[in-house]
Amino acid sequence: MSSTTAGRVKDPGDTTGRLVAASKVNGTAVYDMKGERLGSVEDIMIDKMSGQVNYAILSFGGFLGIGSEYYPLPWRKLTYDTGLGGFRVDIARETLEGAPRYERDSAWSDWAAVDTYYGPAI
Amino acid sequence: MSSTTAGRVKDPGDTTGRLVAASKVNGTAVYDMKGERLGSVEDIMIDKMSGQVNYAILSFGGFLGIGSEYYPLPWRKLTYDTGLGGFRVDIARETLEGAPRYERDSAWSDWAAVDTYYGPAI
C-alpha cells in the first residue's frame, strides 16, 4: 500500500465523474473567480439527517499557513474547476475578509451568522 | 495545537447538533441492528453538483484489520446512534457478505451495481 493513498478511497472519476470522496474534497485548493488561490478546504459540514453538504470550511489568511483562520462558506458557492484542479468560489476577497470566521482549534456553532452573511446555505 | 485535533474542524454539536464534519464521519464505527460492530466508515461519496452524500464506504471483513474490503453502502442505510457512538446500518451481515465490494487500493466505479443491490441511493 502506498502511503499517499492510505486511508483514501480511490475514485477513478475524481475530476470527471459525478461523485467525489470527502477525503479528496478536504485539502483541495480554493481559488477566487480571478483564479487567485485563497486557501484550501479544511473540512465539509454535512446535515446528518438529509446527508446534504451545507458548508465548506475554508482555511484562509495568514502567511505560509501560519495564522490562517477557518471561514465557513455555503457549499453552493463552490464549483469544481478541472482546469485549476480545485474549487472556484464566487466570493470576492474583500467579502471574505469581513466574513464570519473562527480560529483554528476553536469551535464554531453559529451557522445562522453564516447564512445571514451569504444567504441561505441551501 | 493538539495532534489529535490537527486537521479536524471541531464541532461542538458533534453528536447532538444538526451538522457533522466529514472528517468525523470518516473513521466512525459502524454497527449492525443488533449492535455488533461491522467495521468503520472509510470515506463518503458526494454528488459534486448537488452536494448530496450518496454513499458511505464501509471497511468490513478480514481479521484485526487485515484483509478487510470496501463496501459501498447507500448513505440512507446509516443512522447515527449517540449511545453507540457510531452508525447503525440497516443491513443484515449475510446481505453484506454478498454485497458489491472492492479491494483496498483498487478503484470502484460501478455505483449502478450498488443501487441494484440495495435499491436507489437517494
Side-chain angles (χ1 to χ4, degrees), chain A residues 14 23 43 48 50-53, chain B residues 14 23 43 48 50-53:
Chain A
D14 189 29
S23 66
D43 217 330
K48 290 177 188 172
S50 68
Q52 176 69 41
V53 178
Chain B
D14 188 29
S23 66
D43 218 329
K48 289 177 189 171
S50 68
Q52 177 70 41
V53 177

Side-chain angles (χ1 to χ4, degrees), chain A residues 60-80:
Chain A
F60 170 67
F63 183 69
L64 298 176
I66 309 296
S68 64
E69 292 182 287
Y70 292 148
Y71 291 69
L73 309 179
W75 174 254
R76 64 179 164 71
K77 292 283 192 183
L78 280 70
T79 309
Y80 193 79

Side-chain angles (χ1 to χ4, degrees), chain A residues 1 5 7 9 12 14-15 17-23 42-44 46-48 50-54 75 102 105 108, chain B residues 1 5 7 9 12 14-15 17-23 42-44 46-48 50-54 75 102 105:
Chain A
M1 184 186 296
T5 58
V9 171
D14 189 29
T15 54
R18 184 174 61 87
L19 300 170
V20 64
S23 66
E42 179 66 23
D43 217 330
I44 51 177
I46 300 161
D47 184 295
K48 290 177 188 172
S50 68
Q52 176 69 41
V53 178
N54 283 12
W75 174 254
Y102 60 105
D105 279 341
W108 182 263
Chain B
M1 185 186 295
T5 58
V9 171
D14 188 29
T15 54
R18 182 174 62 87
L19 301 169
V20 65
S23 66
E42 179 67 21
D43 218 329
I44 52 178
I46 301 161
D47 184 295
K48 289 177 189 171
S50 68
Q52 177 70 41
V53 177
N54 283 12
W75 174 254
Y102 60 106
D105 279 339

Side-chain angles (χ1 to χ4, degrees), chain A residues 91-114:
Chain A
I91 301 171
R93 187 179 283 264
E94 305 74 52
T95 304
L96 205 53
E97 285 167 352
R101 81 200 70 174
Y102 60 105
E103 292 180 14
R104 301 173 77 94
D105 279 341
S106 68
W108 182 263
S109 56
D110 193 1
W111 305 103
V114 181

Side-chain angles (χ1 to χ4, degrees), chain B residues 22-45:
Chain B
S23 66
K24 290 198 173 169
V25 172
N26 290 356
T28 297
V30 177
Y31 301 86
D32 65 15
M33 296 310 277
K34 297 181 213 159
E36 288 178 17
R37 186 180 165 124
L38 293 167
S40 61
V41 177
E42 179 67 21
D43 218 329
I44 52 178
M45 302 302 297

Side-chain angles (χ1 to χ4, degrees), chain B residues 2-98:
Chain B
S2 145
S3 63
T4 56
T5 58
R8 296 196 164 206
V9 171
K10 288 190 178 179
D11 172 20
D14 188 29
T15 54
T16 57
R18 182 174 62 87
L19 301 169
V20 65
S23 66
K24 290 198 173 169
V25 172
N26 290 356
T28 297
V30 177
Y31 301 86
D32 65 15
M33 296 310 277
K34 297 181 213 159
E36 288 178 17
R37 186 180 165 124
L38 293 167
S40 61
V41 177
E42 179 67 21
D43 218 329
I44 52 178
M45 302 302 297
I46 301 161
D47 184 295
K48 289 177 189 171
M49 295 299 289
S50 68
Q52 177 70 41
V53 177
N54 283 12
Y55 305 96
I57 310 295
L58 172 68
S59 179
F60 170 67
F63 182 69
L64 297 176
I66 310 294
S68 62
E69 291 181 289
Y70 291 149
Y71 291 69
L73 310 179
W75 174 254
R76 64 179 163 72
K77 291 283 191 183
L78 279 72
T79 309
Y80 192 79
D81 185 313
T82 53
L84 284 168
F87 291 100
R88 275 185 190 273
V89 68
D90 184 16
I91 300 170
R93 187 179 283 265
E94 305 74 54
T95 303
L96 206 53
E97 284 168 352

Side-chain angles (χ1 to χ4, degrees), chain A residues 23-41:
Chain A
S23 66
K24 290 198 173 167
V25 172
N26 290 356
T28 297
V30 177
Y31 301 86
D32 66 15
M33 296 309 278
K34 297 180 213 159
E36 288 178 18
R37 186 181 165 124
L38 294 168
S40 60
V41 177

